[in-house]
């Protein structure tokens, strides 16, 4: 469909991910234009407006979502600001793409889903890992039936010493959680998406601070305020899905891992096992064991830019959101369940 005018985009939050990925991502979409930016930090907002040639600059997101001309709002603030910003934008009739985690509780995600439905607007979580060439190829492999029914998965989102020391990551009031919410959400979303997004029904987990209050491991991304550190630096969880499949997750910002980073998943299916990011699979045919490697699909754009392009297309074509809110709800139910299990000392039952 040929549009008469460009889709007009307003960006809330002009920090690292916004300047590094979202703003360039939108600027690479020929049918879209960024017409407004907003940041609570006036200097940051003004700098983004000047650097990226954006005409309207705000410090209060209510002013941005109040702009009639805006069609799409892109939320790139600390996690705890996602819910008020997303709800304000949806209620003002905007389509919304929002950084991960969409929210840190299922309750908030239900509110967003209801607002999107009521206003008939698209809502997408920016889970960029789904849009990489390898992820796309693995999804095709699974959907083609090559892995069979998944019965277990192992998810790692582990960093040796890269704790995000800046902004709102280490402050629970701004982030709602540590590595579990910050990077666990990436690897878990990818794995559950590959598994067909089963519904979690039982979760047990643990979330602890092992290193971040002390000085045992030097920060690869700079020093952090030990007093302000109010989230976990390590989390582990065990999930049972409605399909009977199970999953274990481990997530850290600090720890004595051999590798600097391990963002991976391993899916055990009744026909094959499949690994990300090696692309390796193991199966057997006609009595012989086979291993192989899946090649990434060709990428027209890198994952972050591809995710923005996909959201643009769904808005323009009136197609379903590329990352449906119902799928995000299941992912967040797992992460929230890990924290609840830590607090209660019990397995958590999930009803979505
Ligand atoms: N997908 C990814 O790879 C990826 C990578 C990094 C961060 N993220 C996510 O992006 C979000 C932002 O992370 P970041 O690294 O850019 O953080 P950041 O601290 O660099 O930037 C956040 C910006 O939001 C602004 N802000 C805070 N409250 C606001 C409000 N009420 N209204 C408007 N602006 C406000 C801050 O002033 C800051 O400029 C987080 O949710 C994070 O989880 C995603």
């Amino acid at each position: 469909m040929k549009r008469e005018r460009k889709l007009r985009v307003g960006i809330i939050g002009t920090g690292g991910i916004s300047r590094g990925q979202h703003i360039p991502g939108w600027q690479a979409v020929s049918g879209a234009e960024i017409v407004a930016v907003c940041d609570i930090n006036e200097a940051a907002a003004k700098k983004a407006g000047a650097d990226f040639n954006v005409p309207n600059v705000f410090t209060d997101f209510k002013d941005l979502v109040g702009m009639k001309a805006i069609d799409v709002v892109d939320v790139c603030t600390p996690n705890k600001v996602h819910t008020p910003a997303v709800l304000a934008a949806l209620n003002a009739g905007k389509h919304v793409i929002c950084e991960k985690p969409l929210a840190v509780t299922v309750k908030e995600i239900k509110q967003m889903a209801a607002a999107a439905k009521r206003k008939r607007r698209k809502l997408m979580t920016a889970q960029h890992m789904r849009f990489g060439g390898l992820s796309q190829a693995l999804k095709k492999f699974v959907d083609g039936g090559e892995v069979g029914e998944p019965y277990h998965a192992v998810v790692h989102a582990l960093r040796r010493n890269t704790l995000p020391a800046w902004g709102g990551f280490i402050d629970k009031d701004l982030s709602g959680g540590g590595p579990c919410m910050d990077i666990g959400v990436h690897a878990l979303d990818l794995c559950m998406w590959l598994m067909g997004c089963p519904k979690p029904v039982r979760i047990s987990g643990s979330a602890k601070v092992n290193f971040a209050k002390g000085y045992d491991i030097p920060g690869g991304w700079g020093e952090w305020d030990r007093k302000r550190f109010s989230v976990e630096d390590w989390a582990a969880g065990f999930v049972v899905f409605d399909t009977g499949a199970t999953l274990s997750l481990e997530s850290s910002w600090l720890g004595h891992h051999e590798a600097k980073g391990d963002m991976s998943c391993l899916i055990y299916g009744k026909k094959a096992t499949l690994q990300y990011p090696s692309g390796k699979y193991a199966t057997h045919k006609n009595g012989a064991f086979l291993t192989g490697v899946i090649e990434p699909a060709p990428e027209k754009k890198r994952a972050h830019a591809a995710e923005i392009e996909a959201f643009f297309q769904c808005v323009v074509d009136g197609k379903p959101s590329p990352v449906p809110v119902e799928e995000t709800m299941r992912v967040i139910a797992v992460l929230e369940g890990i924290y609840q299990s830590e607090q209660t000392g019990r397995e958590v039952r999930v009803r979505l």
Side-chain angles (χ1 to χ4, degrees):
M1 187 181 78
K2 181 118 176 68
R3 286 181 63 83
E4 284 163 16
R5 65 166 179 81
K6 290 189 177 192
L7 206 69
R8 293 178 189 139
V9 182
I11 313 254
I12 304 178
T14 61
I17 198 68
S18 177
R19 294 180 61 96
Q21 302 292 346
H22 287 243
I23 296 178
W26 281 110
Q27 289 190 327
V29 177
S30 59
E33 61 181 328
I34 303 172
V35 296
V37 287
C38 166
D39 201 293
I40 199 168
N41 175 340
E42 190 173 1
K46 280 187 174 160
K47 183 159 172 40
D51 291 349
F52 296 100
N53 202 17
V54 179
N56 299 287
V57 175
F58 300 106
T59 54
D60 185 336
F61 67 71
K62 292 190 201 81
D63 294 329
L64 182 144
V65 303
M67 257 184 82
K68 273 218 171 78
I70 287 180
D71 307 296
V72 168
V73 169
D74 184 344
V75 178
C76 297
T77 60
N79 303 344
K80 286 282 208 154
V81 184
H82 291 179
T83 300
V86 168
L87 287 176
L90 287 170
N91 286 327
K94 316 301 183 191
H95 302 285
V96 179
I97 178 170
C98 175
E99 257 307 335
K100 47 51 59 173
L102 181 59
V104 297
T105 64
V106 167
K107 188 177 167 197
E108 290 163 88
I109 295 182
K110 284 187 172 166
Q111 290 169 357
M112 295 181 190
K117 194 171 172 198
R118 194 171 62 245
K119 290 289 184 175
R120 297 190 188 176
R121 290 296 177 268
K122 309 290 177 200
L123 173 60
M124 170 178 170
T125 316
Q127 296 291 170
H128 74 277
M129 285 182 71
R130 294 190 187 195
F131 296 87
L134 179 62
S135 306
Q136 292 288 320
L138 296 189
K139 182 70 173 160
K140 204 168 160 194
F141 189 75
V142 174
D143 288 353
E146 304 288 343
V147 171
E149 185 191 333
Y151 59 88
H152 184 63
V154 179
V155 175
H156 284 171
L158 298 169
R159 288 190 192 147
R160 187 175 196 164
N161 74 332
T162 40
L163 179 156
W166 67 94
F169 291 89
I170 63 169
D171 182 340
K172 197 170 183 184
D173 288 342
L174 286 169
S175 65
C180 189
M181 278 293 166
D182 178 33
I183 51 177
V185 71
H186 279 306
L188 180 66
D189 179 82
L190 182 74
C191 186
M192 285 177 62
W193 174 63
L194 290 172
M195 292 170 82
C197 280
K199 206 188 263 195
V201 289
R202 297 190 338 247
I203 299 155
S204 51
S206 166
K208 305 273 188 222
V209 182
N210 293 317
F211 301 100
K213 288 283 189 192
Y215 292 84
D216 302 340
I217 298 185
W221 283 344
E223 284 303 321
W224 60 94
D225 183 345
R226 267 68 178 172
K227 284 208 189 88
R228 210 161 61 86
F229 193 92
S230 48
V231 293
E232 84 284 359
D233 63 17
W234 161 261
F238 186 80
V239 187
V240 180
F241 295 103
D242 60 346
T243 56
T246 49
L247 178 150
S248 71
L249 173 140
E250 293 164 18
S251 185
S252 74
W253 279 334
L254 299 170
H256 296 302
H257 322 297
E258 193 184 343
K260 190 168 162 49
D262 173 5
M263 190 67 99
S264 64
C265 68
L266 166 63
I267 296 172
Y268 292 86
K270 291 195 176 165
K271 286 170 76 178
T273 59
L274 182 65
Q275 292 181 33
Y276 176 96
S278 68
K280 285 184 186 164
Y281 64 91
T283 185
H284 87 90
K285 271 195 182 110
N286 305 325
F289 288 103
L290 296 173
T291 54
V293 179
I294 296 168
E295 290 301 319
E299 288 181 346
K300 281 196 217 115
K301 289 184 170 185
R302 301 295 300 276
H304 284 284
E307 126 205 304
I308 284 167
E309 173 90 42
F311 188 63
F312 166 79
Q313 281 304 335
C314 95
V315 171
V316 168
D317 298 339
K319 297 256 171 68
S321 168
V323 181
V325 67
E326 295 75 18
E327 294 182 3
T328 294
M329 205 180 289
R330 293 177 181 197
V331 172
I332 297 301
V334 171
L335 301 177
E336 188 185 12
I338 290 173
Y339 293 140
Q340 284 173 345
S341 175
E342 167 66 34
Q343 276 165 7
T344 60
R346 294 196 173 163
E347 183 182 70
V348 172
R349 290 200 172 254
V350 181
R351 281 179 196 84
L352 291 176

